[in-house]
Amino acid sequence: SGLLGRHVIFLLLKKNYKVIATSKKKPSINHKNLIWRKMDLSKKLENSRLKKIYEKVICLIHIGAYVPAPGQKKKLKLINQINVISSSKLASWSKQNNKHFIFISGSILYKNQNSKNKENSPILKNSGNTYLNSKILSERKLLSLNKNKFKITILRASSFYGFGMNKKKLIPNLIRKISSGKNITIYNNNKTEVNFIHAKDVSEAILRCIKYKKSGTFNIGGKKTLNFFKIANIIKKEKRSKSRIFLKKNKSSQILNRLDVDIKKSKKILNWKPKIEFKKGLQMIIKKQCI
């Protein structure tokens, strides 16, 4: 029912797949080929329940995760239950029942923030970030299952964006402020380079994995990184706004994780590449479009 889940559902329905969507909140999508079943990942997942829902699926795509909002108190038990225990349970059930399991991870796991990471680049062993630690542990547990021809795919996506983003995130926040003509101040712009990938492009990669039955770990990212000044300028031109953009320096500002990745493996094996330029992706957000 979130940002990426919504895009995946729309794309699969467009390609005539039948979709069983499980989430705590029902997606606001009505379609003859969409079935929704309530599932709360904060609760214990019973095998009998999983069998009843997923018995006939060819592939289980796990997107759900608990991501604490900025400033929100981190609930450690909840993060562990949803992000680690549930992921491991769904993967184990998929292995036992011979189902292709696709797990959405992130390039945030890579140890070196300033390089264009490949799939075999070093991964963080530990982090000061509770959410990030849960993703590191999840991947570790899932990969430990991959011993006896278990078909598992891990997609390490860069920073994805699209319709349905949290309003507090950078892009929706800039759209809102620039649309209302407010001025924008960007601090240490040379430290704000980030690799953005549209959720539809991530969905296309998922579709390729299903279609070609590809397992393994794949990087999914945009063609290039963008800094906040470029993003704000694209939005300003698109909205024809009179907002002014100011660049300032701030000694206390930290360098962002670029989340940049090498996508050669995905291009070669999945026959995938990002197609949506940032301007087009921005227009899709404004028009509330997923496909």
Side-chain angles (χ1 to χ4, degrees):
S1 59
L3 165 63
L4 182 57
R6 188 179 303 169
H7 283 76
V8 171
I9 289 172
F10 270 110
L11 181 63
L12 291 177
L13 291 175
K14 183 182 178 182
K15 298 295 182 179
N16 296 318
Y17 282 87
K18 291 182 179 180
V19 179
I20 298 173
T22 49
S23 58
K24 192 174 179 180
K25 180 182 177 183
K26 187 177 182 179
S28 54
I29 307 168
N30 293 313
H31 194 282
K32 65 179 182 179
N33 284 339
L34 176 65
I35 297 171
W36 177 74
R37 295 289 181 263
K38 186 173 184 178
M39 182 177 287
D40 187 346
L41 296 179
S42 67
K43 310 296 183 184
K44 185 178 179 180
L45 302 178
E46 301 288 350
N47 281 332
S48 57
R49 170 78 170 153
L50 297 179
K51 181 180 179 180
K52 187 176 181 180
I53 296 173
Y54 299 130
E55 187 174 23
K56 295 181 179 180
V57 302
I58 59 169
C59 178
L60 198 159
I61 309 160
H62 185 39
I63 298 171
Y66 175 68
V67 185
Q72 182 183 15
K73 185 179 178 180
K74 293 178 175 62
K75 302 175 182 177
L76 302 184
K77 287 186 178 179
L78 195 61
I79 292 174
N80 185 58
Q81 174 62 38
I82 294 176
N83 295 2
V84 182
I85 296 175
S86 291
S87 299
S88 182
K89 177 65 178 180
L90 290 168
S92 295
W93 183 88
S94 297
K95 180 178 181 179
Q96 292 166 8
N97 292 275
N98 196 30
K99 308 292 184 183
H100 184 183
F101 186 76
I102 298 178
F103 179 71
I104 309 304
S105 187
S107 60
I108 192 172
L109 271 62
Y110 287 114
K111 188 175 182 179
N112 190 344
Q113 298 181 9
N114 297 315
S115 71
K116 207 171 183 68
N117 288 289
K118 296 183 178 181
E119 287 83 355
N120 60 357
S121 295
I123 296 293
L124 289 165
K125 293 183 178 179
N126 202 352
S127 163
N129 183 298
T130 308
Y131 167 73
L132 178 52
N133 277 341
S134 74
K135 300 300 282 186
I136 295 169
L137 184 56
S138 290
E139 269 211 26
R140 196 177 300 155
K141 284 180 173 292
L142 298 187
L143 290 173
S144 70
L145 295 171
N146 194 15
K147 294 178 180 179
N148 300 314
K149 297 182 180 180
F150 172 38
K151 192 170 284 297
I152 180 172
T153 307
I154 294 176
L155 298 181
R156 291 183 184 147
S158 58
S159 185
F160 47 78
Y161 71 104
F163 171 57
M165 292 182 77
N166 187 312
K167 293 180 181 179
K168 294 181 180 180
K169 294 286 187 178
L170 171 74
I171 295 172
N173 197 25
L174 285 176
I175 291 173
R176 185 170 62 254
K177 288 183 176 180
I178 293 174
S179 296
S180 60
K182 291 183 179 179
N183 293 335
I184 304 295
T185 301
I186 297 172
Y187 294 95
N188 299 346
N189 185 59
N190 63 321
K191 298 179 181 180
T192 65
E193 292 274 344
V194 176
N195 184 308
F196 288 97
I197 178 77
H198 195 276
K200 183 177 184 293
D201 278 331
V202 181
S203 302
E204 289 280 1
I206 292 171
L207 179 61
R208 297 296 175 98
C209 293
I210 298 169
K211 187 177 179 180
Y212 301 134
K213 299 179 181 179
K214 295 295 183 180
S215 56
T217 301
F218 300 93
N219 284 334
I220 303 298
K223 294 178 181 178
K224 58 183 180 181
T225 58
L226 289 173
N227 61 45
F228 291 1
F229 179 70
K230 289 179 181 177
I231 292 170
N233 260 313
I234 292 170
I235 295 172
K236 181 181 175 180
K237 289 179 181 178
E238 188 64 26
K239 301 298 290 186
R240 297 179 182 178
S241 171
K242 292 183 179 180
S243 295
R244 298 177 67 188
I245 304 170
F246 299 98
L247 300 180
K248 291 187 178 182
K249 292 186 176 181
N250 186 339
K251 292 182 180 179
S252 63
S253 178
Q254 295 181 337
I255 298 175
L256 292 177
N257 188 334
R258 290 164 59 91
L259 302 172
D260 205 7
V261 286
D262 185 309
I263 58 174
K264 290 177 184 175
K265 182 179 176 182
S266 294
K267 286 182 175 179
K268 181 179 179 179
I269 299 177
L270 301 181
N271 192 26
W272 172 91
K273 63 180 180 181
K275 294 180 180 179
I276 299 178
E277 299 292 341
F278 186 80
K279 182 179 178 181
K280 172 64 177 175
L282 180 65
Q283 291 170 345
M284 290 172 72
I285 294 176
I286 294 171
K287 294 177 181 178
K288 299 182 179 180
Q289 294 177 339
C290 290
I291 54 176

